[in-house]
Amino acid sequence: MTQTGRMPPPKSPGFEANLRTIPIDAILPVKQLPVTVTKSQKYGQIAATIREVGLIEPPVVARAAGQDGSFILLDGHVRLHVLKEMGETTVTCLVATDDESFTYNKRISRLATIQEHKMILRAVERGVSEARIAAALNVNIALIRQKRTLLNGICPEAAELLKARHCPINSFRSLRKMKPLRQIQAAELMIAANNYTVPYVEAILAASDATDLVDPAPKKPPAGVTREQAERMKAEMANLQKNIKLIEGTLGPDHLRLVVVGRYVERLLQNDRLARYLDKNHGEILGEFRQIVAGLVQPASTTEARRSETE
């Protein structure tokens, strides 16, 4: 409600209510795909999915201003290219009410490894064969079987910790060699370090006591690592885990204090007289203050943008 007591006007929807079937020739792309796009893995996966399942996500278009019957392609360049190669002449599209040509895929949350595993299990339970899933994703059937049995030997608590993480499949292979309690500790270490790579999980495995392993037989040190180095790595990993636990206990209060202090410094710097005084007499302190304020609002990470599909 506004200050005058009136309800604000409703926001206009971002898309038209109904999907629209549009001739492909009437859709104008906003960018040129590279010549090598058809050789990429992502292109192969999209093409295989459309062939096996059909078009799941409709391309997004906007009406071209001043060109009746023409549309601007905002999202779905690869999908449209695949349909053209298949000889299709029309495509069902989602029509946006504006022409903001930002990349929609950069706003998508990619499937985590365990989420993908659960989707494959659900598809198999509903009668979809592993061969068809592999064909739709353009991968080897052995990889589908590996993803289907991903959580075999993984305790529910560790799976819950890693359910939203992009953890490589082979990292779970090392986790299976640990007992449930050690799996939970390993998952906590991976999350704390934001490191889910296979070498890191193998390092945790190498640093685990024999009593924490499913098979307590003496382990061979990793290739190129002496027994003394393995023992040192084990001690360092145990020390790291202890330090992480100590930091976890104070992280919340320390972060709160940092935010409060940072906001106070930000308000100080909004005082022009004070800012000029510091600039004239204490330039180094002013620079430190500005770094503190800048650290409060970090720019959005481009990691997900790098993961976005070729479209």
Short mmCIF file of all heavy atoms in Angstrom, two decimals, residues 77-117:
data_model
loop_
_atom_site.label_atom_id
_atom_site.label_comp_id
_atom_site.label_asym_id
_atom_site.label_seq_id
_atom_site.Cartn_x
_atom_site.Cartn_y
_atom_site.Cartn_z
N HIS A 77 18.84 -20.61 -28.66
CA HIS A 77 19.51 -20.62 -29.97
C HIS A 77 19.93 -22.04 -30.39
O HIS A 77 19.77 -22.41 -31.56
CB HIS A 77 20.73 -19.70 -29.95
CG HIS A 77 20.37 -18.24 -29.90
ND1 HIS A 77 19.91 -17.63 -28.76
CD2 HIS A 77 20.39 -17.29 -30.87
CE1 HIS A 77 19.67 -16.36 -29.02
NE2 HIS A 77 19.95 -16.12 -30.28
N VAL A 78 20.46 -22.81 -29.44
CA VAL A 78 20.88 -24.17 -29.80
C VAL A 78 19.67 -25.04 -30.10
O VAL A 78 19.67 -25.81 -31.07
CB VAL A 78 21.73 -24.78 -28.66
CG1 VAL A 78 22.00 -26.25 -28.93
CG2 VAL A 78 23.04 -24.03 -28.50
N ARG A 79 18.63 -24.92 -29.29
CA ARG A 79 17.41 -25.70 -29.53
C ARG A 79 16.84 -25.40 -30.92
O ARG A 79 16.43 -26.31 -31.66
CB ARG A 79 16.37 -25.39 -28.45
CG ARG A 79 16.57 -26.15 -27.16
CD ARG A 79 15.75 -25.57 -26.03
NE ARG A 79 16.45 -24.47 -25.39
CZ ARG A 79 15.89 -23.59 -24.58
NH1 ARG A 79 14.59 -23.64 -24.35
NH2 ARG A 79 16.59 -22.63 -24.02
N LEU A 80 16.81 -24.12 -31.27
CA LEU A 80 16.27 -23.74 -32.58
C LEU A 80 17.15 -24.29 -33.70
O LEU A 80 16.64 -24.75 -34.73
CB LEU A 80 16.18 -22.22 -32.68
CG LEU A 80 15.26 -21.69 -33.78
CD1 LEU A 80 13.80 -22.02 -33.46
CD2 LEU A 80 15.41 -20.18 -33.95
N HIS A 81 18.46 -24.27 -33.51
CA HIS A 81 19.39 -24.79 -34.51
C HIS A 81 19.16 -26.29 -34.72
O HIS A 81 19.13 -26.79 -35.85
CB HIS A 81 20.82 -24.53 -34.08
CG HIS A 81 21.84 -24.80 -35.14
ND1 HIS A 81 22.27 -26.09 -35.45
CD2 HIS A 81 22.53 -23.98 -35.97
CE1 HIS A 81 23.18 -26.03 -36.40
NE2 HIS A 81 23.36 -24.76 -36.74
N VAL A 82 18.95 -27.02 -33.61
CA VAL A 82 18.70 -28.46 -33.69
C VAL A 82 17.41 -28.73 -34.45
O VAL A 82 17.35 -29.62 -35.31
CB VAL A 82 18.64 -29.07 -32.27
CG1 VAL A 82 18.15 -30.52 -32.34
CG2 VAL A 82 20.01 -29.01 -31.60
N LEU A 83 16.36 -27.97 -34.14
CA LEU A 83 15.08 -28.17 -34.83
C LEU A 83 15.19 -27.91 -36.32
O LEU A 83 14.59 -28.61 -37.14
CB LEU A 83 14.02 -27.26 -34.20
CG LEU A 83 13.60 -27.61 -32.77
CD1 LEU A 83 12.74 -26.51 -32.17
CD2 LEU A 83 12.86 -28.94 -32.75
N LYS A 84 15.97 -26.89 -36.69
CA LYS A 84 16.19 -26.62 -38.12
C LYS A 84 16.89 -27.79 -38.78
O LYS A 84 16.54 -28.21 -39.89
CB LYS A 84 17.02 -25.35 -38.29
CG LYS A 84 16.27 -24.05 -38.06
CD LYS A 84 17.18 -22.85 -38.29
CE LYS A 84 16.46 -21.53 -38.09
NZ LYS A 84 17.36 -20.38 -38.29
N GLU A 85 17.92 -28.33 -38.10
CA GLU A 85 18.66 -29.48 -38.65
C GLU A 85 17.75 -30.69 -38.81
O GLU A 85 17.95 -31.53 -39.68
CB GLU A 85 19.83 -29.82 -37.72
CG GLU A 85 20.95 -28.78 -37.69
CD GLU A 85 21.68 -28.70 -39.02
OE1 GLU A 85 22.05 -29.77 -39.54
OE2 GLU A 85 21.87 -27.58 -39.54
N MET A 86 16.73 -30.79 -37.94
CA MET A 86 15.80 -31.93 -38.00
C MET A 86 14.71 -31.70 -39.06
O MET A 86 13.87 -32.58 -39.27
CB MET A 86 15.16 -32.15 -36.64
CG MET A 86 16.14 -32.62 -35.56
SD MET A 86 15.38 -32.67 -33.90
CE MET A 86 14.07 -33.85 -34.16
N GLY A 87 14.70 -30.52 -39.68
CA GLY A 87 13.73 -30.26 -40.73
C GLY A 87 12.41 -29.70 -40.23
O GLY A 87 11.44 -29.62 -41.00
N GLU A 88 12.33 -29.30 -38.96
CA GLU A 88 11.09 -28.73 -38.42
C GLU A 88 10.88 -27.33 -39.00
O GLU A 88 11.83 -26.58 -39.25
CB GLU A 88 11.16 -28.66 -36.89
CG GLU A 88 11.31 -30.00 -36.21
CD GLU A 88 10.05 -30.85 -36.33
OE1 GLU A 88 8.95 -30.28 -36.52
OE2 GLU A 88 10.17 -32.09 -36.24
N THR A 89 9.63 -26.97 -39.17
CA THR A 89 9.31 -25.64 -39.72
C THR A 89 8.65 -24.72 -38.71
O THR A 89 8.61 -23.52 -38.90
CB THR A 89 8.38 -25.78 -40.94
OG1 THR A 89 7.20 -26.49 -40.54
CG2 THR A 89 9.09 -26.53 -42.07
N THR A 90 8.10 -25.29 -37.62
CA THR A 90 7.48 -24.48 -36.57
C THR A 90 8.01 -24.94 -35.22
O THR A 90 8.53 -26.05 -35.07
CB THR A 90 5.94 -24.62 -36.58
OG1 THR A 90 5.59 -25.99 -36.34
CG2 THR A 90 5.36 -24.15 -37.90
N VAL A 91 7.84 -24.08 -34.22
CA VAL A 91 8.27 -24.40 -32.87
C VAL A 91 7.34 -23.72 -31.87
O VAL A 91 6.87 -22.60 -32.12
CB VAL A 91 9.74 -23.96 -32.63
CG1 VAL A 91 9.91 -22.46 -32.83
CG2 VAL A 91 10.20 -24.35 -31.23
N THR A 92 7.05 -24.39 -30.77
CA THR A 92 6.22 -23.81 -29.72
C THR A 92 7.11 -22.97 -28.80
O THR A 92 8.12 -23.46 -28.29
CB THR A 92 5.53 -24.91 -28.90
OG1 THR A 92 4.73 -25.70 -29.77
CG2 THR A 92 4.66 -24.32 -27.81
N CYS A 93 6.73 -21.71 -28.61
CA CYS A 93 7.58 -20.76 -27.87
C CYS A 93 6.83 -20.12 -26.71
O CYS A 93 5.60 -20.05 -26.69
CB CYS A 93 8.08 -19.65 -28.80
SG CYS A 93 9.12 -20.22 -30.14
N LEU A 94 7.61 -19.64 -25.76
CA LEU A 94 7.12 -18.81 -24.67
C LEU A 94 7.38 -17.36 -25.09
O LEU A 94 8.52 -17.00 -25.38
CB LEU A 94 7.85 -19.15 -23.38
CG LEU A 94 7.40 -18.46 -22.09
CD1 LEU A 94 5.97 -18.83 -21.75
CD2 LEU A 94 8.33 -18.84 -20.95
N VAL A 95 6.34 -16.53 -25.12
CA VAL A 95 6.46 -15.17 -25.63
C VAL A 95 6.61 -14.21 -24.46
O VAL A 95 5.71 -14.07 -23.62
CB VAL A 95 5.25 -14.77 -26.49
CG1 VAL A 95 5.44 -13.36 -27.04
CG2 VAL A 95 5.06 -15.77 -27.63
N ALA A 96 7.77 -13.53 -24.38
CA ALA A 96 8.02 -12.55 -23.34
C ALA A 96 7.37 -11.23 -23.72
O ALA A 96 7.23 -10.90 -24.90
CB ALA A 96 9.52 -12.37 -23.14
N THR A 97 6.98 -10.47 -22.70
CA THR A 97 6.33 -9.19 -22.96
C THR A 97 7.33 -8.05 -23.11
O THR A 97 6.94 -6.90 -23.35
CB THR A 97 5.35 -8.85 -21.83
OG1 THR A 97 6.04 -8.90 -20.57
CG2 THR A 97 4.20 -9.85 -21.79
N ASP A 98 8.62 -8.32 -22.92
CA ASP A 98 9.66 -7.32 -23.20
C ASP A 98 10.77 -8.02 -23.96
O ASP A 98 10.75 -9.23 -24.15
CB ASP A 98 10.18 -6.68 -21.90
CG ASP A 98 10.69 -7.72 -20.92
OD1 ASP A 98 11.49 -8.59 -21.34
OD2 ASP A 98 10.31 -7.68 -19.73
N ASP A 99 11.74 -7.23 -24.39
CA ASP A 99 12.81 -7.80 -25.22
C ASP A 99 14.16 -7.77 -24.51
O ASP A 99 15.19 -7.56 -25.13
CB ASP A 99 12.91 -7.06 -26.56
CG ASP A 99 13.20 -5.57 -26.38
OD1 ASP A 99 13.20 -5.11 -25.22
OD2 ASP A 99 13.42 -4.89 -27.39
N GLU A 100 14.15 -7.98 -23.19
CA GLU A 100 15.42 -8.04 -22.47
C GLU A 100 16.15 -9.31 -22.86
O GLU A 100 15.76 -10.41 -22.48
CB GLU A 100 15.18 -8.02 -20.96
CG GLU A 100 14.63 -6.70 -20.45
CD GLU A 100 14.53 -6.69 -18.95
OE1 GLU A 100 15.12 -7.58 -18.32
OE2 GLU A 100 13.85 -5.82 -18.42
N SER A 101 17.20 -9.16 -23.60
CA SER A 101 17.88 -10.34 -24.15
C SER A 101 19.02 -10.79 -23.24
O SER A 101 20.12 -11.06 -23.69
CB SER A 101 18.43 -10.04 -25.55
OG SER A 101 19.28 -8.91 -25.51
N PHE A 102 18.76 -10.85 -21.90
CA PHE A 102 19.77 -11.43 -21.01
C PHE A 102 19.71 -12.94 -21.16
O PHE A 102 18.74 -13.50 -21.64
CB PHE A 102 19.54 -11.01 -19.56
CG PHE A 102 18.23 -11.44 -18.99
CD1 PHE A 102 18.08 -12.72 -18.49
CD2 PHE A 102 17.16 -10.57 -18.94
CE1 PHE A 102 16.88 -13.12 -17.95
CE2 PHE A 102 15.95 -10.97 -18.40
CZ PHE A 102 15.81 -12.25 -17.91
N THR A 103 20.78 -13.60 -20.72
CA THR A 103 20.83 -15.05 -20.86
C THR A 103 20.06 -15.71 -19.73
O THR A 103 20.48 -15.68 -18.59
CB THR A 103 22.29 -15.54 -20.85
OG1 THR A 103 22.99 -14.88 -21.91
CG2 THR A 103 22.37 -17.04 -21.05
N TYR A 104 18.94 -16.32 -20.05
CA TYR A 104 18.10 -16.95 -19.04
C TYR A 104 18.84 -18.06 -18.31
O TYR A 104 18.65 -18.28 -17.12
CB TYR A 104 16.83 -17.52 -19.68
CG TYR A 104 15.85 -16.46 -20.10
CD1 TYR A 104 16.07 -15.69 -21.24
CD2 TYR A 104 14.72 -16.21 -19.36
CE1 TYR A 104 15.17 -14.71 -21.63
CE2 TYR A 104 13.81 -15.23 -19.73
CZ TYR A 104 14.05 -14.49 -20.87
OH TYR A 104 13.16 -13.53 -21.26
N ASN A 105 19.71 -18.77 -19.02
CA ASN A 105 20.39 -19.91 -18.41
C ASN A 105 21.31 -19.51 -17.27
O ASN A 105 21.68 -20.34 -16.44
CB ASN A 105 21.21 -20.66 -19.48
CG ASN A 105 20.30 -21.41 -20.42
OD1 ASN A 105 19.37 -22.06 -19.99
ND2 ASN A 105 20.55 -21.29 -21.71
N LYS A 106 21.73 -18.25 -17.21
CA LYS A 106 22.58 -17.81 -16.11
C LYS A 106 21.79 -17.69 -14.82
O LYS A 106 22.35 -17.54 -13.75
CB LYS A 106 23.24 -16.47 -16.44
CG LYS A 106 24.28 -16.59 -17.55
CD LYS A 106 24.93 -15.26 -17.84
CE LYS A 106 25.95 -15.39 -18.98
NZ LYS A 106 26.55 -14.10 -19.33
N ARG A 107 20.47 -17.73 -14.90
CA ARG A 107 19.63 -17.64 -13.71
C ARG A 107 19.13 -19.02 -13.28
O ARG A 107 18.30 -19.14 -12.40
CB ARG A 107 18.42 -16.74 -13.99
CG ARG A 107 18.71 -15.25 -13.78
CD ARG A 107 19.58 -14.68 -14.84
NE ARG A 107 19.89 -13.27 -14.61
CZ ARG A 107 20.73 -12.59 -15.34
NH1 ARG A 107 21.39 -13.16 -16.35
NH2 ARG A 107 20.97 -11.32 -15.08
N ILE A 108 19.61 -20.06 -13.91
CA ILE A 108 19.16 -21.41 -13.61
C ILE A 108 20.08 -22.04 -12.56
O ILE A 108 21.28 -21.87 -12.60
CB ILE A 108 19.17 -22.29 -14.88
CG1 ILE A 108 18.14 -21.77 -15.88
CG2 ILE A 108 18.88 -23.74 -14.54
CD1 ILE A 108 18.17 -22.49 -17.21
N SER A 109 19.48 -22.76 -11.60
CA SER A 109 20.26 -23.54 -10.65
C SER A 109 20.50 -24.91 -11.26
O SER A 109 19.55 -25.66 -11.51
CB SER A 109 19.52 -23.66 -9.31
OG SER A 109 19.37 -22.39 -8.73
N ARG A 110 21.74 -25.25 -11.50
CA ARG A 110 22.06 -26.53 -12.13
C ARG A 110 21.80 -27.69 -11.18
O ARG A 110 21.94 -27.55 -9.96
CB ARG A 110 23.53 -26.53 -12.57
CG ARG A 110 23.84 -25.45 -13.58
CD ARG A 110 23.19 -25.72 -14.92
NE ARG A 110 23.20 -24.54 -15.77
CZ ARG A 110 22.59 -24.45 -16.92
NH1 ARG A 110 21.90 -25.47 -17.38
NH2 ARG A 110 22.62 -23.35 -17.62
N LEU A 111 21.43 -28.83 -11.74
CA LEU A 111 21.15 -30.01 -10.92
C LEU A 111 22.41 -30.47 -10.20
O LEU A 111 23.47 -30.63 -10.81
CB LEU A 111 20.66 -31.15 -11.82
CG LEU A 111 19.16 -31.24 -12.08
CD1 LEU A 111 18.89 -32.43 -12.97
CD2 LEU A 111 18.37 -31.33 -10.79
N ALA A 112 22.28 -30.69 -8.90
CA ALA A 112 23.38 -31.27 -8.14
C ALA A 112 23.46 -32.76 -8.45
O ALA A 112 22.52 -33.36 -8.98
CB ALA A 112 23.16 -31.04 -6.65
N THR A 113 24.59 -33.38 -8.10
CA THR A 113 24.83 -34.78 -8.46
C THR A 113 23.79 -35.71 -7.86
O THR A 113 23.26 -36.60 -8.53
CB THR A 113 26.24 -35.20 -7.98
OG1 THR A 113 27.19 -34.22 -8.41
CG2 THR A 113 26.63 -36.55 -8.55
N ILE A 114 23.47 -35.52 -6.58
CA ILE A 114 22.50 -36.39 -5.91
C ILE A 114 21.09 -36.15 -6.44
O ILE A 114 20.29 -37.08 -6.58
CB ILE A 114 22.56 -36.19 -4.39
CG1 ILE A 114 23.89 -36.76 -3.85
CG2 ILE A 114 21.39 -36.86 -3.68
CD1 ILE A 114 24.09 -36.60 -2.37
N GLN A 115 20.76 -34.91 -6.79
CA GLN A 115 19.45 -34.62 -7.38
C GLN A 115 19.30 -35.33 -8.72
O GLN A 115 18.23 -35.86 -9.04
CB GLN A 115 19.28 -33.12 -7.55
CG GLN A 115 19.17 -32.36 -6.22
CD GLN A 115 19.24 -30.86 -6.39
OE1 GLN A 115 19.72 -30.37 -7.41
NE2 GLN A 115 18.79 -30.12 -5.41
N GLU A 116 20.38 -35.33 -9.51
CA GLU A 116 20.34 -36.04 -10.80
C GLU A 116 20.15 -37.53 -10.58
O GLU A 116 19.40 -38.18 -11.31
CB GLU A 116 21.64 -35.76 -11.56
CG GLU A 116 21.65 -36.29 -12.98
CD GLU A 116 22.93 -35.96 -13.71
OE1 GLU A 116 23.89 -35.51 -13.05
OE2 GLU A 116 22.98 -36.17 -14.94
N HIS A 117 20.82 -38.08 -9.56
CA HIS A 117 20.67 -39.49 -9.21
C HIS A 117 19.21 -39.82 -8.88
O HIS A 117 18.66 -40.82 -9.36
CB HIS A 117 21.58 -39.79 -8.00
CG HIS A 117 21.10 -40.92 -7.14
ND1 HIS A 117 21.27 -42.25 -7.47
CD2 HIS A 117 20.45 -40.92 -5.95
CE1 HIS A 117 20.75 -43.01 -6.53
NE2 HIS A 117 20.24 -42.23 -5.59
#
